[in-house]
Amino acid sequence: MSEAPPNPDLVGDLFWGVFKPQFIRLALQIGLFRPLEGGLANADTVAQACHCHPLGIQALLDYFCGLRVLERHDDQYSLTSTAKTFLVPGSKAYVGDMILHYTGQELYESIRQSLRSGMPRWLDENFVQDAWLESYSAWRIPKSLEMWQAAGVRPVAGDSFHILDLACGCAIKSMALAQASPNVSITCFDTPEVLAVARDLADRLHVNSQVIFMPGDLLSAHLGQRLYHGALLGQITDYFTATQNLNIFRRIHAAL
């Protein structure tokens, strides 16, 4: 059988995508978005605030206009609602720290150590900012309803259905079901900082009366006995050992 010729495009696809995350990293490091917080500004004004040269700043501003993160009006630039919400330091849903973490070397050094040792490592991820980003993802509402349907969860009108949402993040998956089914109630379990995001989303989805918030440590929390009809576990098990996960699932089983 003849061997296929070498494919340079396949290799290029492995790394060309690095430019976008590295340019947003650069933008956050120099504070590109803060000078636009007050409204329209030209490249000279932004460059002065960032202590950079106007020529390079204009190129970077135009780059983010092309990505629809910023808008250009003649020689003036402004934030889109996306940039205003997620990329300006001090905003409620700011995710810049998470982006810097995901694009920095420290995270991948930790993964390398895990690959060598075979042991899971807590990667110091910014779960709060990740939860903010997810909480504004409108497409997750219909996708979450598809998930519940695929899992066979179809609450019957008039019958209460109580979900235990562990490592819930913003809890958009379970809140989507609560929004669609008023007889669904949720207990959201996570750290206090992450639960603040879930509370905000519950306000926006108008499901506050259907949600209980339970802060705690997943490795040690008592989850109760026979309290819930279903449980949803966030993407957290890969951070724990097999023994820790077995302990978690035993407590979940007892709570159902």
Side-chain angles (χ1 to χ4, degrees), residues 96 107 118 122 128 136 145 169 173 198-199 207 216 222-223 229 246:
L107 172 65
W122 197 259
V128 177
Y136 281 89
L145 294 176
K173 298 180 182 71
R199 290 179 189 275
V207 295
H222 178 62
L223 303 177
H229 300 98
L246 183 60

Side-chain angles (χ1 to χ4, degrees), residues 45-212:
T45 301
V46 176
Q48 185 175 6
C50 297
H51 306 289
C52 294
H53 193 281
L55 190 61
I57 289 297
Q58 182 173 346
L60 196 57
L61 290 168
D62 286 339
Y63 173 76
F64 284 109
C65 287
L67 296 178
R68 296 183 296 172
V69 173
L70 298 177
E71 293 178 347
R72 181 169 180 169
H73 315 268
D74 296 326
D75 65 341
Q76 303 276 307
Y77 298 87
S78 67
L79 300 170
T80 60
S81 61
T82 298
K84 194 178 301 182
T85 302
F86 300 117
L87 299 177
V88 176
S91 65
K92 178 178 67 175
Y94 177 68
V95 299
D97 295 331
M98 180 189 74
I99 294 172
L100 289 171
H101 177 64
Y102 283 166
T103 58
Q105 180 59 35
E106 296 82 2
L107 172 65
Y108 300 98
E109 174 59 26
S110 182
I111 293 173
R112 185 183 68 83
Q113 292 178 24
S114 182
L115 288 171
R116 289 191 179 280
S117 68
M119 295 294 293
R121 297 179 60 85
W122 197 259
L123 299 179
D124 297 321
E125 292 191 41
N126 195 317
F127 293 109
V128 177
Q129 293 187 6
D130 184 60
W132 277 118
L133 204 59
E134 184 178 29
S135 77
Y136 281 89
S137 299
W139 63 268
R140 290 186 182 272
I141 299 290
K143 284 296 182 183
S144 296
L145 294 176
E146 289 179 14
M147 176 197 74
W148 289 112
Q149 185 174 19
V153 176
R154 300 175 179 86
V156 178
D159 293 342
S160 63
F161 191 88
H162 197 171
I163 297 171
L164 175 61
D165 193 344
L166 295 163
C168 65
C170 69
I172 195 168
K173 298 180 182 71
S174 54
M175 288 187 194
L177 188 64
Q179 188 183 49
S181 306
N183 55 316
V184 169
S185 60
I186 310 162
T187 294
C188 291
F189 184 97
D190 213 309
T191 65
E193 297 80 8
V194 173
L195 287 180
V197 185
R199 290 179 189 275
D200 185 89
L201 181 60
D203 285 338
R204 285 186 271 137
L205 295 182
H206 307 293
V207 295
N208 312 64
S209 62
Q210 296 167 251
V211 185
I212 298 169

